[in-house]
Amino acid sequence: MPRRLPPLNALRSFEAAARYESFTRAAEELHVTQSAVSQQVKALEAQLGVRLFNRERQRLKITPAGRDYLVEIREALDHVGAATERLMQRHSAGVLTVSTSQDFAAKWLVHRLARFAAANSGIDLRVSATMHNVDFAREDVDVAVRHGDGHWPGLDATRLCAEQIFAVCSPKLLAGRNRLRRPADVLKWPLLRLEDQSKAWEQWFTLAEVAAPERLPGPVLNRASMLIDAAIDGQGIALARTTLAAWDLISGRIVRPFDLSWRPAGTYWIVCPKPAASIPKIAAFRQWLLAEAETDARRLAGATG
């Protein structure tokens, strides 16, 4: 059998009016008009078929039936309030499960986790690095950092940062007999690349106005994080995107040998189901991510300015 429940606003109006025995004071507490409270109570009486108040000489007096009903309604509203508070506390703190790609986790996120923990001691962060885009309806994940164009139906998406693609290498490659002095010098070194990055190198050579070789020298890897790590080790020159290269550029482990870059079609986005976007712990994580990305952008601009 379905529950026979009066509207919540009517119950709140009745409870407040009963405590004060005044529609006016109830209206002040609920931040509505006196007329609104009166109408809500009249509608409740009509639904119940019971008079809850007597109006005597411009005074409001609760009836015996209304007094009995008040005891039960007050207890029920207290239960609803307590349950709501507990739920909000769980959302504002507790476990926060984050899904990211393996590359983003390895090259951007893990280095910063101590800073997030220091600023958000009540949040127990869990990071899940996977190859697939999380299904929020089926998986126990609160928020994700996802690469793409930002268009995912039903999800709230906030761009993490603007990105560029550019060549990076170890500082060691800027010295010595085969040092990089002009764009054509990249052909003296292995060109580290992803499995699908041959066209990206072609685009780089076009920007550099250098004839691209028919066959690109150097190993092919399947993870962008591996590519950057190989460049750090001095094994060759890689093409990297701003987000994944930022930490190592700022620390000086890699450098940009040439001022050649372009904007990629996709970038990183902070995503979660739209109804969850304002949950305090998710909002806190989003703001922290954005602040970290903004700090990176300032430091990178300072390093190249």
Side-chain angles (χ1 to χ4, degrees):
M1 292 287 292
R3 294 186 178 93
R4 297 177 61 185
L5 298 176
L8 180 59
N9 283 341
L11 295 177
R12 292 178 66 226
S13 295
F14 162 69
E15 191 275 336
R19 272 189 287 113
Y20 294 118
E21 290 194 316
S22 167
F23 287 153
T24 301
R25 294 185 63 186
E28 292 172 355
E29 177 181 307
L30 298 175
H31 303 289
V32 296
T33 65
Q34 187 269 353
S35 175
V37 172
S38 176
Q39 290 174 5
Q40 290 281 2
V41 171
K42 286 180 179 179
L44 180 61
E45 289 177 323
Q47 182 177 354
L48 298 174
V50 176
R51 182 176 290 277
L52 301 173
F53 295 99
N54 289 320
R55 287 77 169 170
E56 300 177 357
R57 298 181 181 178
Q58 297 185 335
R59 288 188 57 200
L60 193 66
K61 191 168 183 179
I62 192 167
T63 65
R67 196 173 302 279
D68 291 341
Y69 193 47
L70 174 63
V71 173
E72 302 289 342
I73 292 304
R74 180 175 291 167
E75 183 176 354
L77 291 176
D78 287 343
H79 279 303
V80 172
T84 302
E85 183 65 26
R86 287 193 299 270
L87 180 63
M88 292 179 68
Q89 286 179 356
R90 285 199 299 271
H91 279 308
S92 63
V95 174
L96 178 67
T97 302
V98 179
S99 172
T100 78
S101 70
Q102 295 168 332
D103 289 330
F104 185 85
K107 300 308 296 181
W108 197 95
L109 186 59
V110 296
H111 309 289
R112 312 162 191 262
L113 293 181
R115 290 208 288 267
F116 179 80
N120 300 272
S121 58
I123 299 177
D124 181 9
L125 189 64
R126 310 287 175 87
V127 178
S128 174
T130 63
M131 294 285 289
H132 70 281
N133 284 344
V134 65
D135 183 345
F136 288 98
R138 298 176 182 274
E139 300 177 57
D140 188 17
V141 170
D142 298 298
V143 62
V145 178
R146 181 178 291 183
H147 191 271
D149 61 6
H151 299 296
W152 294 285
L155 297 184
D156 178 88
T158 302
R159 190 178 71 167
L160 180 63
C161 63
E163 285 200 302
Q164 293 179 325
I165 293 178
F166 42 77
V168 297
C169 66
S170 167
K172 294 185 291 186
L173 273 61
L174 301 184
R177 186 162 56 93
N178 291 327
R179 65 184 180 274
L180 298 171
R181 289 176 292 188
R182 56 184 185 274
D185 291 339
V186 300
L187 296 174
K188 299 176 182 178
W189 295 92
L191 301 181
L192 310 168
R193 60 196 186 279
L194 297 174
E195 292 172 319
D196 59 350
Q197 213 175 45
S198 294
K199 289 186 177 179
W201 269 111
E202 290 177 10
Q203 187 167 350
W204 188 90
F205 280 114
T206 298
L207 286 174
E209 299 181 345
V210 174
E214 291 185 9
R215 181 177 177 275
L216 297 177
V220 175
L221 308 173
N222 72 339
R223 294 253 56 87
S225 54
M226 294 165 57
L227 206 68
I228 295 172
D229 287 342
I232 291 170
D233 197 45
Q235 296 184 34
I237 304 163
L239 293 179
R241 59 177 60 247
T242 308
T243 303
L244 299 185
W247 185 268
D248 295 308
L249 284 168
I250 290 168
S251 67
R253 284 186 288 271
I254 53 175
V255 295
R256 292 180 57 176
F258 308 108
D259 188 21
L260 297 168
S261 65
W262 68 91
R263 291 192 181 278
T267 187
Y268 285 94
W269 298 77
I270 309 160
V271 300
C272 67
K274 288 183 178 179
S278 60
I279 290 174
K281 65 181 179 181
I282 293 177
F285 185 67
R286 183 191 306 112
Q287 291 306 311
W288 176 78
L289 289 172
L290 293 172
E292 286 286 318
E294 184 178 350
T295 298
D296 282 0
R298 287 199 303 269
R299 296 179 69 181
L300 288 171
T304 58

